Every structure is written in C-alpha cells, then in structure tokens.
Amino acid sequence: MRLTVIGTGYVGAVHAACMAEAGHEVLGVDVDEERVAALAAGHPPFHEPGLPAMLQRTVAAGALRFTTSLDEAARFADTHFICVGTPQRPDSGAADLRYVEAVVDGLAPGLREAGHEGALVVGKSTVPVGTADRLAARLDVPGAEIAWNPEFLREGSAVQDTLRPERIVAGVRSAWAEERLRAVYAPLTAAGAPFIATDTVTAELVKVASNSFLATKISFINAMAEICDVMGGDVLTLAAAMGGDSRIGPSFLAPGLGFGGSCLPKDIRAFAARAEEIGRGESVAFLRQVDEINTRQRLRTVALAERLTGGSLEGRDVAVLGAAFKPGSDDVRDSPALAVAEAVRLRGARVRVHDPEAIDNARAVCPDLQYALDVTKACEQADVVLHLTEWPQYRELDPAALATVVRSPALVDARNTLDAPSWRSAGWRLSAPGRPRLG
C-alpha cells in the first residue's frame, strides 16, 4: 500500500520507517527541510536504537522517501497518518492542537484536487477526546474520512513497539475505514498483534487513559516512599511485595525521581483540562494530585542532596549522572534529571552533568550547567554525586574507583537502581527516596 506519514518527529519518523519495513511504500512529510534531508540520508534527528539502520535500509530500497509538500502527499496516497505534536498550551494545561489542525487544513485542498476515492486521514497524535469529530467537520472533503489510531511507543524501544505492538487500536467511523486500517497493519496482525476496532472517541480515550493510569501508578509508589521516609520503612521492599500481587503487578512501581518526557506530564494535564471543559472535572481530579506528587519528587531529591552536604549546596561541586528523561533516549523534554540539576545550580552549586546520549540536547536547554563526556571527569572533586537517569552504564560503575576521584563519597540514588551494599562497602554515604535507613 501507499501511505504518507505527516510529521517526522519521534512518532512519525519511527512509524514511517516501520511501515516501509513492513512492506508498504511510504512518503514522510515535514515542514523542516533540514530534518527531511537528514532522514532522507538515513540520519534520524534523535537517538532511538535500531532506527538508523532501518531508515538507511528502507530509503536505499526505495520504500521510503521524504518531502516538504502536502500537495505531493495528497497525490501520492489515499491513506495519511498525522503524527505532529500536541504540546501543552502555554496559558493552560490543555493540548495545543494548532499543528494537527494545520495538517488537516493543508491536506484538504490537495485531496480535493487529487480526487482519490475514499481518502482516509488517520490521527496518531495524542489529542483531547472529541478531536476526531471536530476534525471530520473541518476536513470537509467528499469521500474522505477521519480515523484515530493512537501510538503506544516507549522511547528506547519504539521500533520494537511499532513492529511487535501489544495492541493496535483503530477508531473508525465506517466499515471501509476499518478494512483500510486492517490492510495497513496486516503484516503486524499476521505476526500476532491484536487489532481492536472501536469508535474514534474510545480510541482517543485509550491513549490518555493508559498514560493517566501509568502516571498514577508511578506517583502512588512515590507517595508511599514519602511515608517510608517519615516512618522508617523500605519502599523497595514495599514495591516488590505489592508487585507480587497479580492484580497489581510490578511494572511502573519503581520509586524514585518520577516521570517526565513529552507524553505523561502533558497528557495527564490535558486530560484533566478536557474533563473540566466537558463538565466532568471531578472525575479525574486525582490527576492534579498525581502531577503534584510527581513534581514534588524533584524537590525531595534536592533536599536529599542538601542533607548529604551538611544542609547547603552553596559553593559545592555536584556531579549529575543523567540528563535524559529516561535511559535509551536523548530526549530531555520535561526531564526530571535536568530539573534537579538546574535546581541545584540555582542553590549555588557548581554542577557538572554526564549522559551517554543527551549532552547536546541538555546543553541546548540548560547552557549554564557544565557537561562532561566521561563519568570520571564529571565526578572529579564532587561533594555529592546525584544518580538521576537509570542508564545501565551507571550500574556498572566501580564505587571504589569512583571514591578516589570525588572530594566526598556521598551519593543520592534518586532512581533506586544502584547496588547500595557495594557502594556502602566502598565507603560511600548513601541516600535514596523512601529508604531512610541507608543514611
């Protein structure tokens, strides 16, 4: 089949490459000429394991190419995926839909002129419930329909999540739209991927409800960590015991610095804002608390660092391990690690940051921090080391060797993933959320 993917950011670039890998002929569309040129050369503008090789392979085979023209996209295919961003509006928690609306407005004239029988415009962007209905009226092209097909990608494993999804959700308004999407995803469903057909409202809700549930689970265990800090419990044991219950499960019960990135924070805020717009704000009022608990973890981490440095960070040298919002990614959007690093700097500390992939992006966002390409260099003469992104490289560090580099062997394991006994036996003073007995 011929498909277009409009918007070649994180979601769009991965979707375009994976659809070409699955056997379709794909045209990627973006307004950013430099991004289009880079993708056409097989170079994604972000770090994602497996994507560069797939891009190069599918581009070389002629299955994937890129353009800046929506008119060319309209002529090329009759199935179009919208993958542009829906950031948080600066004046509220609501989603900014201007980019999605611009795609619909820009695509419509070309669809009318191309005269395809049965053009299908498929949204993958995360949007407020009811968006597909509004866009259907806005599209206003005879024979064209809007469908919604939310993405469920995890940065760091997006290629696998696309080619081997746990489920494919198709929100459609007609039987032929469902048939079209079943044909698009036939290579994936043949390999066992479940296909769930529903209406567009339910499809929109699946994405925001899933992200809200995951965010709630993370904030719940971090709230328990706060209780453990006061009462002397161990949140890791608590999480393991809770996760052993099959009704709960261990996933997303990792206490620590909390969630960030381009999805969970903005999605729960947009969901809460949309619920208020439709008169059901009380139904998801708890999401405000989920957001507050998550944000509070950043200040709690700063407080742990202050405790290890005698109550003040003024004039201290602080090493920060991690800048990306999660391992396996170079994404620093709403990164808890960078938020903590900046907060520490504002308290008068000299901060040096290391990250295996995200230094360039971090430097662009936080130019006042110092950066090091080597962990040892980042930790030289540090008064405290903050472990803020759980890269596997940090679990492999030699605590004894690192102790010879720092000024004071003090560590905040804000992600609760380092081997505390080995660090303590090497002479380190440790602190971690929900584990007061470490100190």
Side-chain angles (χ1 to χ4, degrees):
M1 297 177 67
R2 281 188 162 192
L3 315 173
T4 75
V5 175
I6 304 168
T8 58
Y10 186 84
V11 173
V14 172
H15 188 64
C18 288
M19 291 299 97
E21 181 79 358
H24 300 302
E25 189 177 350
V26 182
L27 179 65
V29 188
D30 204 290
V31 296
D32 188 329
E33 293 183 358
E34 290 185 5
R35 174 173 292 179
V36 164
L39 288 167
H43 305 302
F46 49 83
H47 174 73
E48 180 59 38
L51 182 59
M54 182 179 291
L55 268 177
Q56 292 161 17
R57 183 167 59 249
T58 53
V59 168
L64 175 61
R65 60 186 182 87
F66 297 90
T67 183
T68 58
S69 172
L70 279 175
D71 286 341
E72 182 181 356
R75 293 190 302 270
F76 176 79
D78 55 13
T79 303
H80 308 274
F81 288 92
I82 300 177
C83 297
V84 295
T86 52
Q88 183 176 323
R89 282 170 43 181
D91 59 340
S92 71
D96 186 346
L97 298 179
R98 75 177 84 175
Y99 304 112
V100 175
E101 293 168 348
V103 170
V104 171
D105 293 345
L107 189 61
L111 291 179
R112 293 191 191 99
E113 184 177 338
H116 286 294
E117 288 294 329
L120 185 63
V121 179
V122 187
K124 292 194 73 66
S125 306
T126 304
V127 294
V129 59
T131 298
D133 288 340
R134 289 199 307 104
L135 293 178
R138 192 178 187 117
L139 182 62
D140 192 26
V141 174
E145 281 195 25
I146 292 279
W148 221 261
N149 170 220
E151 53 84 16
F152 302 102
L153 305 186
R154 298 166 297 172
E155 292 195 30
S157 59
V159 170
Q160 180 69 16
D161 289 345
T162 302
L163 293 177
R164 298 288 184 270
E166 293 181 325
R167 76 282 203 203
I168 298 166
V169 176
V172 295
R173 304 161 69 87
S174 69
W176 78 260
E178 178 183 341
E179 183 179 350
R180 177 76 59 81
L181 282 174
R182 285 188 181 275
V184 169
Y185 289 116
L188 280 56
T189 56
F195 188 97
I196 302 170
T198 184
D199 56 88
T200 56
V201 167
T202 303
E204 292 165 336
L205 279 171
V206 169
K207 173 66 174 184
V208 294
S210 296
N211 279 0
S212 296
F213 185 82
L214 296 176
T216 300
K217 203 170 179 183
I218 295 169
S219 282
F220 179 85
I221 198 61
N222 280 332
M224 296 304 99
E226 295 185 31
I227 302 298
C228 287
D229 280 337
V230 173
M231 299 304 297
D234 188 321
V235 73
L236 288 189
T237 303
L238 173 62
M242 288 179 60
D245 187 327
S246 61
R247 297 167 300 175
I248 298 173
S251 296
F252 284 78
L253 279 183
L257 188 48
F259 56 82
S262 64
C263 292
L264 291 189
K266 77 172 181 66
D267 288 354
I268 63 172
R269 294 165 192 158
F271 193 15
R274 181 57 175 156
E276 290 173 358
E277 289 174 358
I278 65 174
R280 288 296 180 267
E282 67 276 10
S283 298
V284 293
F286 68 93
L287 290 179
R288 303 290 189 191
Q289 291 181 301
V290 167
D291 196 12
E292 291 170 5
I293 292 169
N294 187 63
T295 301
R296 194 160 63 235
Q297 305 319 302
R298 305 175 185 193
L299 297 178
R300 292 181 66 227
T301 300
V302 175
L304 292 177
E306 288 176 325
R307 194 176 307 159
L308 284 177
T309 54
S312 175
L313 291 165
E314 180 74 33
R316 302 287 190 170
D317 287 291
V318 178
V320 167
L321 305 186
F325 88 95
K326 64 174 289 187
S329 171
D330 63 353
D331 195 343
V332 298
R333 289 174 290 180
D334 201 0
S335 167
L338 273 189
V340 169
E342 271 290 286
V344 168
R345 183 187 69 81
L346 291 174
R347 282 164 171 75
R350 294 177 293 272
V351 182
R352 191 179 295 133
V353 181
H354 174 270
D355 190 283
E357 296 291 344
I359 285 181
D360 289 343
N361 289 342
R363 185 181 282 115
V365 175
C366 299
D368 293 329
L369 299 174
Q370 300 175 41
Y371 297 90
L373 298 177
D374 179 79
V375 173
T376 301
K377 191 69 176 176
C379 293
E380 280 184 358
Q381 297 303 302
D383 294 293
V384 63
V385 176
L386 310 183
H387 174 232
L388 304 183
T389 307
E390 62 272 37
W391 285 96
Q393 294 92 318
Y394 299 147
R395 292 197 296 273
E396 298 168 0
L397 291 172
D398 182 348
L402 206 60
T404 66
V405 173
V406 299
R407 180 179 295 117
S408 174
L411 170 73
V412 176
D413 181 11
R415 292 298 182 179
N416 268 311
T417 57
L418 301 180
D419 182 27
S422 66
W423 285 80
R424 295 182 74 174
S425 65
W428 287 78
R429 293 179 295 122
L430 260 65
S431 187
R435 304 174 73 191
R437 296 179 187 176
L438 283 181

